[in-house]
Amino acid sequence: MRIVISPIQYDNLSRISIRLQAFDSTLPDRMRQIDGSRWAPELRCWHIPYTAAAWGSLKAVFPDYEIIKSIPEGAQIGKVAMFYNGILNQPILFPNGCQSQKKPGMFLTK
């Protein structure tokens, strides 16, 4: 199974959206194990805080899932890469082969 993550701004906070590529009835119970996780009905996705603790919890709660990093339509790739670097604390290799730079603390803006 795969989880697709994407940077979002929700209530003026930097968050990470969580979407599954296939239905999993255990998703709500698993997501509730992550501090600060919320369901956004208008976005039709779960989201977690943009913190190392939440990122670590996501990986611990979904050890059997592949995590796919998504680039939102219209986003600047460099800014998305910096968003992911802040959480992952490592360079990101995107599908087109470009590698991000390490600049933690940045987040997506359009």
Side-chain angles (χ1 to χ4, degrees):
M1 285 275 240
R2 293 180 174 174
I3 293 175
V4 178
I5 64 169
S6 180
I8 61 170
Q9 289 286 312
Y10 191 83
D11 288 339
N12 293 319
L13 298 172
S14 294
R15 309 279 291 179
I16 301 172
S17 71
I18 311 294
R19 292 184 170 87
L20 294 184
Q21 288 189 327
F23 178 76
D24 181 353
S25 62
T26 68
L27 178 67
D29 289 334
R30 287 186 184 203
M31 289 303 299
R32 288 185 189 104
Q33 295 176 38
I34 302 171
D35 287 338
S37 67
R38 301 283 180 268
W39 170 252
E42 67 278 14
L43 300 176
R44 298 180 50 94
C45 72
W46 284 88
H47 53 93
I48 60 174
Y50 171 61
T51 64
W55 177 249
S57 294
L58 178 70
K59 292 190 303 183
V61 169
F62 294 96
D64 49 336
Y65 281 67
E66 179 183 3
I67 298 177
I68 308 295
K69 297 163 207 76
S70 174
I71 300 173
E73 186 177 326
Q76 296 177 13
I77 291 176
K79 290 186 179 183
V80 174
M82 287 185 277
F83 177 92
Y84 288 133
N85 281 344
I87 280 294
L88 304 175
N89 198 24
Q90 63 188 18
I92 305 300
L93 188 62
F94 286 101
N96 65 1
C98 70
Q99 189 171 357
S100 71
Q101 298 178 11
K102 277 185 149 183
K103 293 189 180 179
M106 298 297 293
F107 54 89
L108 173 70
T109 57
K110 283 192 175 185

